[in-house]
Amino acid sequence: MKLTTFLIGLVLGALLLVWPISQWQPDGLDSLRSLTVQLDGRKKPLDTVAQETVAKIHGSTTYQSAEGTREDALSTYLAMWFNTRNWNEEPFVLVSYRPLKEAAGLDIERKQFTFQELMANRELAAIVGEAHRKELNEVDLSRNEREALTIEGRLNLLYQSVGDRQLPIVPHPDDRKGKWGSLDETTKLYSPEQAAPLLAAFAMMQQTLLQGGATHIPMVASLAEQLKAGLQQLSPDIYPTDAVMGREVYFNHFHPFAKAWQLYAIAFTVLLVSQWIKRWNIYWTAIGLFTTGIVVQTYGFFLRMQIADRPPVTNMYESVVWVGFGIMAIALLLEVFSQKRFYLLAAAPLSVVCLVLADSLPAVLDPSIAPLVPVLRDNFWLSIHVPTITLSYASFALALGVGHVALFNYLFTPQAKQRIKTLSQLNYRVLQVGVLLLTAGIILGGIWAHFSWGRFWGWDPKETWALIALLCYLAPLHGRLVGWIGDFGIHVASIVSFNAVLMAWYGVNFVLGTGLHSYGFGTGGSELLIASVVGLDLLMVLATAARHYGWFKRSEPLTTVENL
């Protein structure tokens, strides 16, 4: 019976994956999507260039134009590349940081602004100018200044993308690592006779898009095939194969990490239902769905590793996706051995949140694949240090989830003593796993730092906060061991201590923005939102503690004894 319901979950998960793929309708632009571009230190398909460009400028891979039509990344990028509309007046540039909008006098309720109004904003220009002056003098920038430089980067990228005649799509004649050229530079690399058909095809594509847009897609597709075939013929040994470029296009549109969180969410729902409908034993169906989600996410990592030729743990986006995977993988492993249901109930919402954030915030969590900075180019240390650290974060996040499940029981079913005791034991195990992984990760990081920077430990902000996080968990574990902390205390510690992990993981990258781990830094983080969530969570912990310890109960009246 268990095997049958487990297989039902696997089959249901597979059907949920296959159905959207079967509904997908090709647009005929495969040749254009897989057109190779040498950009940002690697060769990638035009489809990736389109997604990265639109996401960096607009904050999303889809765009609703001023006319109200909804466009995908490639359609939007083609409109920029061939300059088929007035991009000065399109509300396309993302400005999300509220304090910067207030300082620049922008409408704080809007998120997208036109190129023209941002370029004409004197307050924004003054902040950018001050930021550049500080950079020259090697002075730390304020958050507003860092955000302003990000906006400047988006404006520059939009300016470069509109009518871009320098996009390097022409392969080098004989050097695999040689610099590619733009169509305008074709005659510098090849003869005029070889360049003429390419220039003609490109000009006809531009004219076709200017005249009809979406109504002329078949013509554009035909011209794109001619252009791509001509580029391949220029240097067949240098130009990447269709299989290599097609794999990345497939990865872009398969969305394995999005499909994974959808499967986790469905499995979580089935698991909740199994709590009440026990006669059908659909618990194992949920396990099958969770397993399918793990398999899909693993497949996504495999594809990304093939494309990037490195472990997928080198930036904030990849670490968030990896932590989401780690939460679910550790929970599923522990669940199979314990079969207590609580691990997956605690893990699924957290894993879904991680993957939804990674899937929906490309301007904050940049998913683009870029060459590694020098310090990360040792794949051996990269493959063991960073995954170990992030898996420790996943363990602590799972402990956070188990802690919340326990506190909800303290709030609403305090009479369930045995369940609360079980949750305490489960949480203690997860905390032990997390401490073991974080300790190993810190030691491995120190060894890597010795080889990369010439010292084992330097009190870099990332190193310091990793140590603080470790101490925040070691204290309650030792307190539990000697009897200073009971069941309730270990749950509270698992929730409160996670704020140190949050600071080491998110705060150093997005709030402090200093230190040698600069390759993980970013802007656009929602500090106010995260601070609000943390504050509400701590209030919930305080309210649960008040109920558990009876802080607000009316004291019993004193008994009086007469005639002593």
Side-chain angles (χ1 to χ4, degrees), residues 24 46 159 162 197 326 374 455 538:
W24 181 74
L46 186 68
Y159 179 78
V162 173
R455 90 291 188 279
L538 293 177

Side-chain angles (χ1 to χ4, degrees), residues 16-317:
L16 292 170
L17 290 173
V18 171
W19 183 80
I21 297 174
S22 65
Q23 300 299 308
W24 181 74
Q25 298 294 327
D27 55 11
L29 295 176
D30 292 347
S31 294
L32 194 58
R33 291 184 187 279
S34 59
L35 191 72
T36 306
V37 184
Q38 187 193 63
L39 200 63
D40 300 327
R42 73 182 188 96
K43 299 177 183 71
K44 50 189 169 184
L46 186 68
D47 183 78
T48 298
V49 175
Q51 295 213 22
E52 291 176 354
T53 303
V54 174
K56 285 176 182 176
I57 300 172
H58 185 60
S60 171
T61 54
T62 58
Y63 171 59
Q64 186 167 343
S65 66
E67 292 79 20
T69 57
R70 194 166 187 81
E71 303 172 347
D72 65 5
L74 184 65
S75 299
T76 306
Y77 183 78
L78 289 177
M80 289 191 289
W81 192 21
F82 293 106
N83 197 12
T84 61
R85 64 179 65 147
N86 185 1
W87 286 100
N88 281 316
E89 298 179 359
E90 290 279 338
F92 188 60
V93 183
L94 175 68
V95 183
S96 59
Y97 190 54
R98 191 184 184 97
L100 177 61
K101 287 190 282 188
E102 291 175 348
L106 298 170
D107 185 352
I108 59 176
E109 300 303 323
R110 288 174 59 191
K111 287 190 174 181
Q112 274 80 29
F113 297 83
T114 68
F115 180 87
Q116 190 171 5
E117 62 186 322
L118 291 176
M119 290 296 293
N121 189 293
R122 294 183 178 180
E123 291 83 0
L124 181 60
I127 297 172
V128 170
E130 179 64 15
H132 284 302
R133 186 190 66 78
K134 284 186 175 182
E135 282 188 326
L136 288 173
N137 296 322
E138 298 183 352
V139 177
D140 290 340
L141 304 182
S142 68
R143 178 61 189 277
N144 265 6
E145 289 162 349
R146 284 190 280 133
E147 292 285 346
L149 291 180
T150 300
I151 304 306
E152 183 189 35
R154 289 173 186 156
L155 292 171
N156 286 335
L157 183 57
L158 177 58
Y159 179 78
Q160 294 165 5
S161 301
V162 173
D164 185 11
R165 300 285 298 186
Q166 302 302 314
L167 195 66
I169 62 174
V170 179
H172 194 277
D174 50 32
D175 187 357
R176 289 188 178 276
K177 296 183 179 181
K179 183 179 179 182
W180 287 28
S182 65
L183 281 173
D184 288 347
E185 298 170 327
T186 311
T187 54
K188 296 180 181 179
L189 300 172
Y190 300 94
S191 67
E193 291 77 14
Q194 292 174 299
L198 305 177
L199 295 171
F202 184 83
M204 290 179 67
M205 284 174 61
Q206 184 174 28
Q207 189 63 31
T208 303
L209 286 169
L210 282 168
Q211 288 178 349
T215 60
H216 288 66
I217 289 298
M219 177 65 75
V220 173
S222 176
L223 292 168
E225 288 179 8
Q226 295 178 31
L227 177 62
K228 182 179 176 182
L231 291 168
Q232 287 174 323
Q233 291 171 7
L234 290 177
S235 185
D237 295 332
I238 303 300
Y239 205 89
T241 64
D242 288 339
V244 171
M245 292 295 105
R247 179 173 57 208
E248 188 164 347
V249 173
Y250 168 72
F251 174 77
N252 292 340
H253 295 273
F254 181 60
H255 296 300
F257 303 136
K259 287 180 172 58
W261 75 253
Q262 292 162 9
L263 285 168
Y264 295 153
I266 294 169
F268 176 70
T269 304
V270 174
L271 188 62
L272 282 178
V273 173
S274 73
Q275 301 286 88
W276 291 279
I277 311 178
K278 297 184 179 180
R279 57 177 181 165
W280 291 353
N281 200 24
I282 60 175
Y283 165 77
W284 286 99
T285 302
I287 298 296
L289 285 166
F290 279 121
T291 304
T292 309
I294 289 283
V295 170
V296 171
Q297 199 169 354
T298 303
Y299 177 57
F301 284 131
F302 172 73
L303 288 175
R304 192 171 174 96
M305 288 173 66
Q306 280 192 312
I307 294 166
D309 196 28
R310 57 170 171 77
V313 285
T314 60
N315 57 34
M316 195 65 180
Y317 167 82

Side-chain angles (χ1 to χ4, degrees), residues 278-414:
K278 297 184 179 180
R279 57 177 181 165
W280 291 353
N281 200 24
I282 60 175
Y283 165 77
W284 286 99
T285 302
I287 298 296
L289 285 166
F290 279 121
T291 304
T292 309
I294 289 283
V295 170
V296 171
Q297 199 169 354
T298 303
Y299 177 57
F301 284 131
F302 172 73
L303 288 175
R304 192 171 174 96
M305 288 173 66
Q306 280 192 312
I307 294 166
D309 196 28
R310 57 170 171 77
V313 285
T314 60
N315 57 34
M316 195 65 180
Y317 167 82
E318 291 176 341
S319 76
V320 170
V321 174
W322 181 255
V323 166
F325 172 80
I327 293 170
M328 191 52 62
I330 293 170
L332 187 61
L333 183 64
L334 294 174
E335 183 72 23
V336 168
F337 286 104
S338 68
Q339 296 184 22
K340 298 293 186 181
R341 301 174 187 252
F342 298 117
Y343 281 127
L344 290 176
L345 282 173
L350 293 169
S351 187
V352 168
V353 167
C354 285
L355 295 178
V356 167
L357 289 175
D359 192 45
S360 58
L361 297 173
V364 179
L365 302 174
D366 184 4
S368 59
I369 298 173
L372 297 177
V373 297
V375 73
L376 295 180
R377 288 179 186 166
D378 189 329
N379 267 6
F380 173 74
W381 291 110
L382 177 64
S383 302
I384 59 173
H385 163 63
V386 182
T388 303
I389 288 284
T390 47
L391 281 178
S392 75
Y393 294 170
S395 299
F396 293 137
L398 178 57
L400 172 77
V402 174
H404 278 91
V405 173
L407 290 197
F408 287 142
N409 277 274
Y410 276 106
L411 272 175
F412 303 112
T413 57

